[in-house]
């Protein structure tokens, strides 16, 4: 073999050295990604388990309770359900399964049975409307009932959007 041939075979071309360098960098990157903190989390599970048990998930904020309820003996035909803020809404389908109709006098209440008749009275104006519960809601803290747009129009609260109301269970 000539001296030139030995020198050529001993020298690594720049293209091969670049490929080799990129392969080493890629392998190091993959190795760094493979060392996730999962192993450390499993080792620390005993310490963290107590913290997760002490903090349960809070769902109550999504389902507000009426602000106040007054109990009247069962002999009376009319009972006061609650006082609070009412709003009006529009939807495509109700929780009871029937299709929402903005022209009907309907309401959404968080706990009263479907079909319950409510007298919704605007405390400031004294106007009232009787609605039928056919949906669930409202899911906004502080509100006790959502009423249909036609019921909101009957109460005169379309421009205001919200009204302080008293709810009386009629039937």
């Amino acid at each position: 073999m000539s001296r030139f041939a030995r020198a050529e075979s001993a020298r690594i071309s720049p293209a091969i050295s670049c490929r080799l360098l990129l392969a080493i960098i890629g392998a190091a990157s993959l190795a760094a990604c493979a060392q996730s903190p999962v192993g450390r989390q499993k080792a620390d599970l005993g310490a963290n388990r107590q913290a997760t048990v002490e903090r349960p998930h809070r769902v109550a904020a999504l389902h507000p309770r009426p602000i106040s309820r007054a109990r009247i003996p069962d002999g009376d035909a009319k009972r006061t359900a609650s006082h609070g803020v009412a709003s009006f809404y529009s939807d495509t389908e109700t929780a009871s399964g029937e299709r929402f109709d903005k022209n009907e006098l309907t309401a959404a209440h968080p706990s009263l049975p479907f079909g319950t008749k409510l007298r919704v009275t605007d405390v400031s104006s004294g106007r009232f409307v009787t609605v039928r519960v056919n949906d669930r809601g409202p899911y906004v803290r502080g509100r006790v009932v959502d009423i249909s747009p036609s019921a909101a129009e009957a109460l005169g609260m379309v421009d205001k959007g919200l009204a302080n109301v008293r709810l009386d269970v009629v039937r």
Side-chain angles (χ1 to χ4, degrees):
M1 215 181 205
S2 73
R3 198 172 73 175
F4 182 71
R6 271 189 245 148
E8 193 66 33
S9 65
R11 196 172 4 153
I12 300 175
S13 72
I16 293 175
S17 63
C18 284
R19 287 182 188 160
L20 183 62
L21 183 63
L22 286 175
I24 291 171
I25 291 173
S29 297
L30 287 175
C33 291
Q35 294 177 359
S36 70
V38 174
R40 285 179 292 193
Q41 287 176 354
K42 287 183 181 178
D44 296 337
L45 185 61
N48 291 338
R49 174 174 274 154
Q50 189 67 22
T52 57
V53 171
E54 290 176 8
R55 293 182 180 167
H57 182 65
R58 301 185 96 199
V59 180
L62 296 176
H63 304 286
R65 294 186 179 97
I67 293 173
S68 66
R69 287 184 181 226
R71 296 227 179 232
I72 295 185
D74 292 334
D76 292 345
K78 194 191 321 186
R79 298 178 295 157
T80 300
S82 59
H83 289 82
V85 177
S87 58
F88 65 96
Y89 72 110
S90 61
D91 204 352
T92 55
E93 191 173 309
T94 63
S96 63
E98 64 184 72
R99 191 150 180 86
F100 179 78
D101 185 1
K102 66 178 184 174
N103 298 319
E104 288 187 27
L105 299 174
T106 57
H109 192 275
S111 61
L112 290 174
F114 295 138
T116 302
K117 299 282 187 173
L118 285 177
R119 174 174 286 170
V120 181
T121 306
D122 187 343
V123 176
S124 62
S125 68
R127 297 171 83 173
F128 65 90
V129 64
T130 302
V131 296
R132 179 178 52 90
V133 175
N134 71 338
D135 202 358
R136 291 289 171 233
Y139 298 110
V140 177
R141 186 180 297 269
R143 296 191 189 167
V144 293
V145 71
D146 274 341
I147 57 176
S148 64
S150 61
E153 189 175 326
L155 284 180
M157 63 176 272
V158 174
D159 293 333
K160 297 183 288 184
L162 300 173
N164 288 321
V165 296
R166 183 181 78 231
L167 300 180
D168 297 309
V169 177
V170 176
R171 181 169 52 105

